[in-house]
């Protein structure tokens, strides 16, 4: 057993957590010309490396761990993990070993024991650790100076607490991954989330999670006992979710010293801390989770049973053969304070492979040493002896012949360069890439070592970022965290912002959105969060609504539309439109959500919307004109009645329903000046047949008939006829164009009547070019003309063998009266003219009816009502 004899310069600085031991060691090292410090964790080594680098500069400070090596050429100060530091101190002026009490750990203890015994500085050596280490240091290093450091703050027991009542800046400590996840999920629901720290996380991920807590993004952290080792956190309280853990061989209760190591994270510098347990975390027997009085006293007073031994293993075994190597590693120490270390995984792998055929290739001291180095590869994946031994065996196949090829290593690293997957998947990849990072750091294992090491570090950093993102996504609801802090403040101080796209955010976290002026909670919010989000939004809503109303009136009027009888914005109603009978001064009923707006802003918005609406109602000017005339007493009751009928029909009424028989002819010029057209089949206001007017009537809900937005001349037949159209066979035609076609037909008949006035029903010819040019098919044009009383007589076809043009069709016209029996509706499936027994009833007035088939000369669907040809041509 090696043991340094330079004990006169050794100082053991011992004490509980928060005593400034590490800070003292850093100051002492920086006061020497060179130095080396060994730490239990890579992340702690990195933290101290950054602090010393800030003091001494980048070129003077090195970081050496199993997976990372930053070693400037002129480096004088070295921050290392205990495993990576020189076991003798490297000849530096100052050497320190932190957390030396880990020498009592069954797995890694022998490393720290070796450094405590052998790592020495030329000028000064510091052993940092718990006060329980004092009797062992006195026995192992006689003459060492003992320095006891008191804790800067007090640590007191706070009893049990529900997770939902946990005070801010608290840590919850659990001892299994499942329990860590469960606690973090619960804190996400109750308090908006928590950072997560576990030993299985990569150092980079742990640092990012710790930063999440330290910068205040979350007020809680859930961790395993890894929190008790070197993590300096701004904690006020530590809550234990369990007081027992599985130590690799059995489940046991934590010792008071282990409890204190974890609880001591609460309270930093001069600020006092508390510790306690979580309510409901008891044992399976139902016993509550509580500290004993003895444990509370020990933790508060920092009084623990001293360590009785440290674990030791031969640090310089013989490499003559595998058998000699194993024998030395299993040898017993020769000091009463030391115990042989339990079989660690590196020794277990060595013994497993020593019985494998692969051991036959290990001959000579050089290969034995190299084989032992391969077996010492840490089991970052935590897969156990057998799987890890298989990995080492595969690795040895290449190492036994020289180096690992760069292509092979690059391919293995590339396989892990994937950031998809869940938390467990990413943790597995990080553990695997840490193995390759360790391999690439070995000086004689990999070709292109520096390049491969850089690649491995880059992939680990990428995976760590992805894992941090997954942990944050799963366990942190940043929005809830912010609101928990903000809702207790004055409403005007709540930092709710309205984004251009309508989102409401609190410190860039969405809490909902404004659909129009309605606040809608973020759909991703849980049921527990909805009440809080509504409260947050409603506190700031009046001011935000006023702000949005100003923007709408100045820049957003182009986004408004009229639909469903209301003014709408982004498909949400802002105000219902109530149109009076005169269509002149509409009234608005604002949506309920707008009532939350301040009175002045609401009145301004209503005024602006009315002004916008008046401009939009301009296409209804003809309707207002008709309404104004309908209220004029001088117009006469008959004309006013027709105007009211036309207004109620929204500009189009069938002639037979217009009541023209009651209208004095001298009133027609007055109505024509108002834009009223008296057609053969319809009476209509021509300006109300324009697309803008029809669209507006439909949007206002004043005309619920189907809408033909473009008001095309001719459209296909439909079950429901759009406003402004009438049937024409299998097509529909706009009423003004139907009137144009019929007027041309009457003009052709008038010319024929003038030349053959002696005939009662003179024949004449009609050119169907006009209806065809409008878009009607010839058959449908004939059906339209038939609706107005026109009948076609087909020209005689040429006899077989005859030559010349075919005889043209001829037309006749006779008016149809409402009482004409030929215009009575006929039901296709009715037994027309049959009595009870199906016999024809010949006693009805007019005698038996003659059955005749309806041809293409019959009316389309409705007949006209005429007062005479002169009336038609005059109307």
């Amino acid at each position: 057993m090696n043991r340094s004899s330079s004990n006169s310069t050794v100082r053991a600085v011992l004490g509980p957590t928060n005593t400034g031991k590490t800070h003292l060691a850093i100051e002492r090292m920086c006061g020497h010309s060179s130095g080396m410090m060994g730490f239990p964790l890579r992340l702690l080594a990195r933290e101290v490396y950054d602090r010393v680098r800030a003091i001494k500069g980048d070129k003077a400070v090195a970081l050496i761990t199993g997976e990372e090596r930053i070693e400037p050429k002129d480096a004088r100060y070295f921050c290392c993990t205990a495993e990576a530091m020189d076991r003798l101190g490297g000849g530096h002026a100052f050497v320190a070993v932190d957390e030396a009490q880990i020498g009592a750990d069954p797995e890694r203890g022998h490393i720290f024991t070796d450094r405590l015994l052998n790592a020495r500085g030329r000028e000064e050596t510091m052993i940092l650790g718990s006060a329980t280490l004092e009797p062992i240091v006195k026995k192992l290093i006689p003459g060492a100076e003992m320095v006891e450091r008191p804790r800067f703050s007090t640590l007191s027991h706070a009893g049990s607490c529900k997770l939902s009542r946990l005070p801010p800046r608290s840590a919850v400590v659990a001892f299994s991954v499942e329990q860590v996840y469960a606690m973090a999920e619960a804190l996400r629901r109750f308090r908006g989330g928590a950072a997560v720290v576990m030993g299985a996380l990569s150092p980079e991920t742990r640092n990012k999670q710790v930063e999440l807590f330290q910068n205040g993004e979350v007020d809680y952290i859930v961790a395993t006992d890894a929190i008790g080792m070197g993590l300096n956190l701004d904690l006020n309280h530590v809550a234990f979710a369990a007081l027992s853990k599985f130590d690799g061989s059995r489940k046991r209760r934590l010792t008071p010293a282990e409890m204190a190591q974890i609880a001591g994270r609460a309270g930093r510098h001069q600020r006092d801390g508390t510790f306690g347990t979580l309510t409901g975390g008891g044992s399976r027997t139902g016993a509550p989770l509580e500290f004993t009085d003895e444990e509370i006293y020990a933790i508060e007073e920092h009084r623990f049973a001293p360590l009785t031994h440290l674990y030791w293993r031969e640090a310089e075994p013989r490499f003559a053969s595998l058998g000699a190597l194993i024998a030395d590693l299993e040898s017993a120490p020769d000091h009463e304070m030391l115990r042989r270390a339990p079989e660690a995984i590196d020794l277990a792998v060595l013994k497993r492979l020593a019985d494998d055929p692969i051991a036959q290739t290990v001959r000579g001291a050089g290969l034995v040493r190299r084989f032992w180095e391969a077996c010492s590869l840490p089991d970052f994946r935590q897969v156990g002896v057998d799987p890890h031994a298989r990995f080492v065996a595969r690795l040895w196949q290449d190492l036994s012949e020289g180096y690992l090829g760069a292509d092979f290593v690059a391919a293995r690293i590339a396989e892990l360069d994937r950031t998809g997957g869940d938390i467990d998947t990413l943790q597995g990849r990080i553990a695997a890439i840490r193995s390759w990072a360790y391999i690439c750091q070995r000086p004689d294992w990999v070709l292109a070592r520096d390049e491969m090491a850089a690649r491995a570090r880059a992939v680990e950093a990428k995976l760590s970022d992805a894992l941090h993102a997954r942990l944050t996504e799963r366990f942190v609801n940043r929005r809830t965290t912010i609101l928990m802090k903000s809702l207790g403040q004055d409403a005007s101080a709540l930092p709710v912002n309205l984004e251009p796209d309508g989102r409401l955010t609190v410190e860039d976290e969405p809490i909902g959105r404004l659909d129009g002026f309605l606040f809608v909670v973020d759909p991703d919010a849980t049921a527990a969060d909805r009440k809080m989000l509504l409260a947050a939004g409603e506190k700031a809503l009046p001011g935000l609504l006023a702000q949005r109303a100003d923007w709408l009136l100045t820049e957003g009027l182009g986004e408004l539309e009229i639909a469903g009888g209301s003014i709408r914005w982004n498909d949400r109603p802002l105000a219902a439109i109530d149109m009076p009978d005169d269509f002149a001064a509409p009234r608005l009923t604002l949506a309920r959500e707008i009532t939350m707006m301040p009175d002045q802003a609401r009145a301004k918005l209503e005024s602006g919307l009315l002004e916008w609406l008046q401009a939009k109602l301009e296409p209804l000017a003809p309707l207002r004109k008709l309404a104004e005339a309908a209220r004029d007493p001088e117009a006469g009751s008959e004309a006013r009645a027709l105007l009211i009928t036309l207004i109620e029909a929204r500009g189009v009424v069938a002639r037979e329903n217009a009541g023209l028989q009651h209208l004095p002819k001298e009133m027609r010029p007055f109505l024509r000046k108002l834009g009223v057209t008296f057609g053969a089949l319809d009476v209509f206001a021509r300006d109300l047949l324009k697309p803008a007017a029809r669209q507006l009537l439909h949007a206002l809900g004043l005309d619920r008939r189907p809408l033909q937005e473009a008001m095309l001349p001719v459209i296909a037949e439909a079950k429901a006829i759009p406003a402004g159209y009438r049937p024409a066979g299998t097509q529909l035609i706009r009423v003004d164009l139907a009137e144009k076609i019929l007027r041309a037909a009457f003009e052709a008949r008038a010319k024929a009547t003038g030349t053959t006035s002696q005939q009662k029903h003179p024949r004449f010819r009609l050119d169907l070019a006009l209806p065809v040019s409008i878009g009607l098919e010839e058959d449908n044009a004939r059906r339209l003309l038939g609706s107005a009383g026109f009948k076609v007589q087909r020209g005689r076809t040429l006899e077989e063998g005859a030559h010349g043009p075919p005889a043209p069709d001829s037309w006749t016209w006779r008016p149809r009266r409402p009482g004409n029996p030929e215009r009575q509706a006929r039901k296709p499936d009715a037994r027309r003219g049959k009595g009870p027994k199906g016999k024809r009833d010949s006693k009805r007035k007019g005698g038996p009816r003659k059955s005749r088939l309806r041809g293409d000369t019959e009316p389309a669907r409705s007949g006209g009502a005429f007062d005479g040809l002169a009336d038609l041509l005059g109307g």
Side-chain angles (χ1 to χ4, degrees):
M1 178 179 66
N2 297 328
R3 190 181 306 168
S4 174
S5 58
S6 320
N7 293 334
S8 57
T9 60
V10 176
R11 180 186 304 171
V13 182
L14 308 177
T17 57
N18 192 30
T19 57
K21 300 185 296 291
T22 304
H23 180 73
L24 173 64
I26 293 171
E27 286 186 334
R28 296 298 302 162
M29 182 173 72
C30 290
H32 289 275
S33 60
S34 64
M36 174 176 284
M37 292 182 67
F39 300 94
L41 298 173
R42 173 183 169 188
L43 63 86
L44 187 56
R46 181 79 195 211
E47 178 185 335
V48 174
Y49 165 75
D50 290 336
R51 291 173 61 182
V52 177
R53 193 161 52 113
I55 299 171
K56 293 296 185 179
D58 294 349
K59 295 182 179 180
V61 187
L63 173 67
I64 301 176
T65 70
E67 306 135 72
E68 188 175 13
R69 191 180 190 93
I70 303 174
E71 188 176 2
K73 180 180 179 181
D74 299 325
R76 294 181 290 118
Y77 302 94
F78 292 78
C79 301
C80 317
T81 53
E83 288 85 350
M85 74 180 294
D86 188 292
R87 62 182 298 265
L88 300 179
H92 297 287
F94 175 88
V95 170
V97 179
D98 196 15
E99 305 290 358
Q101 75 276 1
I102 296 179
D105 179 70
E107 181 70 24
R108 301 174 64 200
H110 63 277
I111 300 292
F112 285 82
T113 300
D114 180 69
R115 305 303 184 260
L116 182 148
L117 293 173
N118 299 297
R120 296 290 181 267
R122 296 193 318 267
E123 300 170 5
E124 184 178 1
T125 301
M126 290 185 71
I127 306 296
L128 312 177
S130 168
T132 59
L133 193 62
E134 181 176 350
I136 290 183
V137 173
K138 287 182 176 179
K139 287 289 186 72
L140 292 177
I141 312 175
E145 179 184 352
M146 309 304 296
V147 178
E148 185 175 351
R149 301 272 294 188
R151 182 177 167 91
F152 291 150
S153 60
T154 61
L155 187 62
S156 57
H157 181 243
S160 296
C161 177
K162 289 184 178 180
L163 189 67
S164 58
R165 301 291 181 84
L166 206 61
R169 311 310 294 170
S170 293
V172 176
V173 180
F175 297 96
S176 70
V177 173
E178 293 78 10
Q179 195 174 27
V180 167
Y181 288 173
M183 294 294 106
E185 291 276 13
L187 282 171
R188 187 183 193 277
R189 293 195 303 271
F190 295 136
R191 288 292 184 266
V196 174
V197 172
M198 299 183 293
L201 300 181
S202 68
E204 287 80 3
T205 305
R206 271 184 284 180
N207 283 343
K208 291 179 185 296
Q209 288 289 303
V210 167
E211 183 181 356
L212 196 68
F213 175 81
Q214 289 293 89
N215 62 23
E217 289 190 48
V218 293
D219 272 337
Y220 303 91
I221 188 168
V222 182
T224 60
D225 51 350
I227 194 176
M229 193 63 64
L231 285 178
N232 296 317
L233 300 171
D234 185 19
L235 280 173
N236 294 335
H237 180 75
V238 172
F240 287 77
L243 293 175
S244 300
K245 74 171 185 177
F246 183 76
D247 63 3
S249 59
R250 62 186 178 89
K251 188 171 184 179
R252 62 172 178 81
R253 190 176 180 89
L254 300 174
T255 65
E258 290 172 329
M259 295 175 180
Q261 183 73 22
I262 297 168
R265 296 296 113 189
R268 303 304 297 168
H269 304 295
Q270 302 297 322
R271 188 179 65 254
D272 296 338
T274 59
F275 68 96
T277 56
L278 287 179
T279 303
S283 65
R284 294 181 180 178
T285 62
L289 184 68
E290 293 179 347
F291 290 98
T292 64
D293 292 341
E294 293 78 8
E295 290 168 341
I296 294 172
Y297 173 79
I299 295 171
E300 289 182 340
E301 300 298 326
H302 317 298
R303 298 184 181 278
F304 309 105
L307 294 175
T308 59
H309 64 272
L310 299 179
Y311 288 111
W312 174 88
R313 189 175 75 181
E314 179 59 59
E316 291 187 346
R318 294 168 297 152
F319 297 105
S321 66
L322 291 179
L325 173 62
I326 294 172
D328 283 357
L329 292 174
E330 292 183 329
S331 61
D334 58 2
H335 196 285
E336 61 178 347
M337 303 303 292
L338 302 178
R339 298 288 185 274
R340 187 177 70 178
E343 185 177 271
I345 192 168
D346 54 357
L347 179 56
V349 170
L350 174 63
K351 294 170 67 176
R352 182 68 51 86
L353 294 181
D355 296 331
D356 193 270
I358 197 174
Q360 302 300 319
T361 64
V362 184
R363 295 287 186 271
L367 282 179
V368 171
R369 181 186 293 273
R370 191 174 180 81
F371 188 67
W372 170 235
E373 290 172 350
C375 293
S376 299
L377 173 67
D379 181 18
F380 293 108
R381 299 174 297 164
Q382 299 293 310
V383 293
V385 175
D386 286 341
H388 190 56
R390 288 194 295 270
F391 180 72
V392 172
R394 173 63 187 87
L395 185 67
W396 178 250
Q397 291 178 6
D398 291 322
L399 289 179
S400 62
E401 299 177 0
Y403 292 87
L404 295 174
D407 292 342
F408 173 77
V409 175
R412 302 292 79 74
I413 293 173
E415 290 173 356
L416 299 170
D417 191 7
R418 293 178 290 118
T419 57
D422 57 13
I423 291 174
D424 292 337
T425 301
L426 288 172
Q427 282 184 271
R429 290 196 195 118
I430 289 176
I433 197 63
R434 290 183 70 187
S435 297
W436 286 104
Y438 182 94
I439 291 169
C440 293
Q441 286 298 332
R442 302 298 301 174
D444 57 350
W445 282 16
V446 179
L447 293 174
R449 165 193 162 190
D450 292 341
E451 180 185 349
M452 293 301 104
R455 289 191 187 187
R457 287 196 303 271
V459 171
E460 182 182 356
K462 185 188 298 186
L463 292 172
S464 296
D465 289 342
L467 178 57
H468 172 67
R470 297 291 193 285
L471 290 169
T472 303
E473 179 182 348
R474 178 172 173 181
F475 298 123
V476 177
N477 186 333
R478 186 169 180 268
R479 173 178 58 204
T480 304
T481 303
I482 293 170
L483 292 178
M484 290 293 296
K485 297 177 181 178
S486 304
L487 283 177
Q489 303 174 2
D490 179 68
S492 60
L494 193 68
V496 180
N497 296 315
L498 176 61
E499 305 296 334
D501 60 357
R503 290 182 304 121
L504 294 184
T505 61
V506 177
E507 295 184 12
D508 298 327
E509 286 298 316
I511 65 172
R513 62 179 298 106
L514 284 179
D515 282 347
F517 286 84
L518 177 66
F519 174 61
V520 180
V521 174
D522 187 3
D524 295 332
T526 62
D529 288 343
R530 291 185 66 85
K531 184 176 180 181
M532 183 165 50
L533 293 179
L534 281 169
E538 289 175 357
K539 276 189 174 184
L541 210 52
L544 293 176
L545 292 181
Q547 175 186 339
R548 181 151 237 214
D550 287 340
W551 179 89
L552 180 64
L553 295 177
T554 56
E555 302 180 35
L557 290 177
E559 300 179 10
L560 298 181
E561 63 175 353
I562 300 174
S566 62
I567 300 175
R568 302 180 76 86
W569 182 30
N570 295 334
D571 205 32
R572 292 201 63 87
L574 292 184
I577 303 171
D578 181 17
M579 292 296 296
D581 294 338
D582 60 1
F583 303 96
R587 294 179 293 274
L588 296 180
T589 303
L590 297 177
R592 184 176 60 182
E593 56 264 23
I594 296 179
T595 60
M596 297 185 64
M597 195 181 300
D599 293 343
Q600 184 177 357
R602 185 171 64 250
K604 180 180 178 181
L605 176 62
E606 184 175 7
S607 175
L609 292 177
L610 278 172
E611 183 179 350
W612 174 87
L613 179 61
Q614 288 286 8
K616 289 294 181 179
L617 293 179
E618 188 57 32
L620 295 188
L623 198 59
R624 288 197 297 271
K625 193 175 180 182
L626 297 179
E628 184 179 351
R631 296 193 309 273
D632 187 358
E634 297 181 4
S637 60
E638 298 87 351
R640 291 167 63 191
L642 175 61
L643 288 172
I644 291 172
T645 300
L646 196 59
I647 291 170
E648 290 178 348
R650 303 310 181 214
V652 181
V653 63
R655 186 178 180 112
E656 61 264 30
N657 298 327
L660 291 180
Q661 65 272 24
H662 306 298
L663 180 70
K665 293 185 181 293
E666 59 270 17
M667 293 303 299
R668 294 195 179 189
F670 167 71
L671 295 173
R672 290 192 188 98
K673 289 181 180 180
L674 295 174
V676 179
T677 298
F678 297 89
L681 298 178
D682 300 285
V683 179
F684 55 88
R686 57 181 178 272
D687 290 337
L688 292 177
L689 294 176
K690 295 179 180 179
R694 298 317 314 177
Q695 292 171 14
L696 190 54
L697 285 169
H698 187 78
L700 288 168
L702 299 177
D703 191 343
R704 299 189 181 278
R705 291 172 290 179
L707 171 68
Q708 216 298 315
E709 292 192 4
M711 293 301 288
L712 298 173
V714 176
I715 60 176
E717 185 180 25
K719 290 182 178 180
I721 301 176
Y725 287 82
R726 72 163 27 259
T730 60
Q731 292 176 290
L732 301 175
I733 184 169
R734 208 170 65 209
V735 295
D736 59 332
L737 294 175
E739 172 59 21
K740 183 177 182 180
I741 293 170
L742 295 175
R743 188 172 292 276
F746 280 117
E747 289 174 356
R749 180 184 180 278
K751 291 179 181 179
T753 304
T755 58
T756 60
S757 57
Q758 68 277 13
Q759 296 182 15
K760 185 177 181 180
H761 297 292
R763 294 176 180 271
F764 54 92
R765 295 178 182 176
L766 289 180
D767 187 358
L768 298 182
L770 176 60
V772 171
S773 67
I774 290 175
L776 278 179
E777 299 173 2
E778 287 192 9
D779 288 344
N780 292 330
R782 295 188 186 99
R783 297 294 298 277
L784 175 66
L785 291 165
S787 298
F790 291 90
K791 289 186 178 182
V792 63
Q793 301 294 326
R794 293 291 192 177
R796 183 178 298 176
T797 59
L798 293 175
E799 296 181 0
E800 187 176 355
H803 298 281
D809 296 340
S810 61
W811 293 78
T812 61
W813 176 84
R814 76 173 74 184
R816 297 190 176 191
R817 302 292 180 180
N820 191 330
E822 291 184 1
R823 297 187 63 250
Q824 300 301 318
R826 298 177 180 180
K827 297 182 179 180
D829 56 348
R831 297 176 179 267
R832 296 192 301 271
K834 293 189 178 183
K837 295 184 180 181
K839 296 181 179 180
R840 295 184 178 278
D841 185 2
S842 59
K843 296 182 180 181
R844 289 185 303 176
K845 185 178 179 179
R849 295 184 178 177
K850 296 181 180 180
S851 174
R852 73 182 170 87
L853 297 174
R854 176 173 298 187
D856 62 358
T857 62
E858 290 299 304
R861 291 186 187 174
S862 62
F866 305 98
D867 296 328
L869 179 57
D871 181 24
L872 289 171
L873 294 175

